[in-house]
Amino acid sequence: MWMLLEYDRVIQNKAIALMERSGLQAIGVDHEEQLAQIKYSNVELLLIGTGWQEATINHLREQGASCPSVYIASELNDESYETARRLGCVDAVSYPLPIDYLKRWAPVVDVSKVPQKLDEEPLTPLDEVLRSKNALNKKRTYTRANTVHESTQVDETSMVGRGRVIAVHSARGGVGKSLLVSMIARQMAQRNYTVAIVDLDPLGN
């Protein structure tokens, strides 16, 4: 279930309708008194609208809301990303909600495929890269096919909402750079990452 904290009830209703049309279970909250009625263990993604106090968000986490949170700004700029960082969010977006993009923070986990002990299945080299570079650095546990959220503490060295770059370079041609990049991009896309490939060949061929 996704939970939207939004004081503006008109905006909230439109956003909830959009999520439900996308097949998501969602609930909207427009005042603090409603929060006492929420079972936080069922919340998979917390969406925070403008105006909500940091103390309220911290109280939610103390009450068991350990899912990732995303800040919803009226306009995306440096100030909105700084607010997202201050609230402990993993990212910042604006209305209308980019549902497909937000799903990266709340992937559907098939419990039947998750090993009983997460360390029984070794991580692939790509999984190690994703774990070390992700915004939830080392506070998220990866399995080969699934992601299990353990905490929403943000790595202060990461850039909230910014892209991560993997550079593959060599002065020689024909050594497999393009093949390697295409394989990495395919594997990351299968893990619900948004991927862009940029060719910086100075020859431009």
Side-chain angles (χ1 to χ4, degrees), residues 35-176:
L35 296 174
Q37 306 170 11
I38 307 298
K39 186 176 181 181
Y40 298 117
S41 60
N42 294 334
V43 179
E44 300 166 327
L45 183 65
L46 176 62
L47 303 170
I48 306 171
T50 58
W52 288 82
Q53 299 298 314
E54 183 177 359
T56 302
I57 306 304
N58 291 337
H59 179 70
L60 289 180
R61 296 192 176 115
E62 291 172 358
Q63 296 299 313
S66 61
C67 63
S69 55
V70 175
Y71 177 64
I72 306 175
S74 55
E75 181 181 355
L76 289 178
N77 49 39
D78 290 342
E79 183 180 352
S80 60
Y81 284 115
E82 181 58 33
T83 300
R85 183 187 299 277
R86 178 171 51 82
L87 293 176
C89 297
V90 296
D91 209 341
V93 298
S94 60
Y95 291 113
L97 295 178
I99 300 298
D100 289 339
Y101 175 75
L102 289 172
K103 287 180 179 178
R104 69 182 294 179
W105 297 114
V108 178
V109 177
D110 187 349
V111 180
S112 65
K113 295 182 180 180
V114 177
Q116 293 297 318
K117 293 184 179 179
L118 294 175
D119 58 357
E120 288 181 353
E121 185 176 2
L123 298 177
T124 66
L126 179 57
D127 288 328
E128 292 287 357
V129 171
L130 298 181
R131 183 172 63 179
S132 64
K133 299 298 183 183
N134 193 271
L136 300 181
N137 189 24
K138 296 183 179 179
K139 294 297 182 180
R140 172 180 289 186
T141 302
Y142 286 90
T143 64
R144 183 165 296 174
N146 302 292
T147 303
V148 179
H149 297 290
E150 289 187 343
S151 174
T152 57
Q153 181 176 343
V154 178
D155 178 8
E156 291 298 324
T157 62
S158 68
M159 295 297 290
V160 176
R162 308 296 174 85
R164 278 70 173 174
V165 177
I166 298 176
V168 178
H169 62 93
S170 173
R172 296 184 57 187
V175 296

Side-chain angles (χ1 to χ4, degrees), residues 184-196:
I184 292 175
R186 179 183 178 87
Q187 289 296 315
M188 293 185 73
Q190 290 177 347
R191 288 165 170 77
N192 296 323
Y193 282 79
T194 301
V195 182

Side-chain angles (χ1 to χ4, degrees), residues 7-18:
Y7 286 119
D8 190 321
R9 190 167 295 182
V10 174
I11 295 177
Q12 179 194 120
N13 290 338
K14 290 182 179 179
I16 293 296
L18 177 61

